[in-house]
Amino acid sequence: KVGKVSEYRFLNRFGEIGEYMRLELKLYLRNKMTKKMLYLITAVVLMFSLLLSFSDTYQGNMREFFVLYCFIICAVQGLSGLMAYEGNYIDGLMSRKESIYSLLRAKYYLWSCVLIIPFLLMLPAVFTGKITFLTCLGWLFFVPGPVYWMLFQLAVINKKTLNLNAKVTGRQNIGTGMQNLIAAGAFFIPFIINSILKVVVSPDTASLILIGIGILFMATSKYWIRNVYHRFMKRRYENMEGFRDSRQR
């Protein structure tokens, strides 16, 4: 029996970008391994949310780090292999003018929306007084700002196809030194910046600064994503060759 298949028609209003958002949703929600990855991420974030909300396991800087971790894990798992899944059908994407640019913007918008999940799961910790609402709001804006800018540079570097049936534990096979360095930076640089800000100003002011920086990067996302697109296109033949070679192995 053929079950009902969602076509995500609510995305029709967004035109071509909506089409690529639909493609991204189908990639992650209809593939067995990527779906397991999303379930695993949600379970991890939920676990830390419960620990932060109803226990004193984490205190001080460790508590701050794990709040940030819950936001960053979604970003890193979703974007560390940027363009690697698309390596399976990169030739089709390259056949249309600026399709890569629309795809990158679609990924940005969709994975920015995904951050609402850890934000909502962190609210119990806010209600129990373990963390402040401004802290959650700060990371909700900062991560899709500078952190996503950092991770989107991987679109230029990644040139190994990731098999659509690859297990979550096998994702590290696509990693290079630079890719691992960027992924590590996505975890630790925001924490270091936040720690420095809290030495200079109050915690609430630090969160407001993070929000301001995040909004600045989000407001200019169209421009820095276009910059990533142009740099990708300059390397397109090298990257496409890498995608094809790794696809055949």
Side-chain angles (χ1 to χ4, degrees), residues 47-191:
M47 178 188 70
F48 282 119
S49 173
L50 294 174
L51 287 173
L52 290 169
S53 302
F54 305 109
S55 75
D56 296 319
T57 305
Y58 303 112
Q59 298 289 336
N61 287 335
M62 284 299 295
R63 180 180 294 172
E64 290 284 342
F65 177 79
F66 281 107
V67 172
L68 171 61
Y69 178 86
C70 289
F71 284 90
I72 295 294
I73 189 65
C74 298
V76 169
Q77 287 296 326
L79 297 174
S80 61
L82 195 63
M83 300 305 296
Y85 281 124
E86 284 73 19
N88 290 283
Y89 45 87
I90 190 68
D91 299 274
L93 289 174
M94 296 297 292
S95 65
R96 298 179 61 185
K97 184 181 179 181
E98 294 197 334
S99 62
I100 300 296
Y101 175 59
S102 297
L103 175 65
L104 290 173
R105 289 184 64 191
K107 284 179 175 289
Y108 179 78
Y109 296 142
L110 187 61
W111 284 98
S112 295
C113 292
V114 167
L115 294 178
I116 295 175
I117 296 174
F119 176 76
L120 293 176
L121 291 177
M122 285 292 109
L123 289 181
V126 174
F127 297 146
T128 56
K130 298 298 178 66
I131 58 176
T132 66
F133 182 73
L134 268 179
T135 297
C136 285
L137 210 57
W139 295 129
L140 180 65
F141 284 94
F142 189 83
V143 172
V147 175
Y148 275 21
W149 170 83
M150 189 185 308
L151 290 173
F152 264 71
Q153 308 311 310
L154 291 170
V156 182
I157 300 171
N158 288 344
K159 57 180 181 180
K160 291 185 179 180
T161 299
L162 184 59
N163 193 299
L164 289 170
N165 294 316
K167 294 183 179 179
V168 175
T169 53
R171 285 167 59 82
Q172 67 269 21
N173 293 334
I174 69 166
T176 64
M178 182 59 68
Q179 288 167 291
N180 294 331
L181 183 63
I182 290 176
F187 274 103
F188 294 106
I189 291 177
F191 180 72

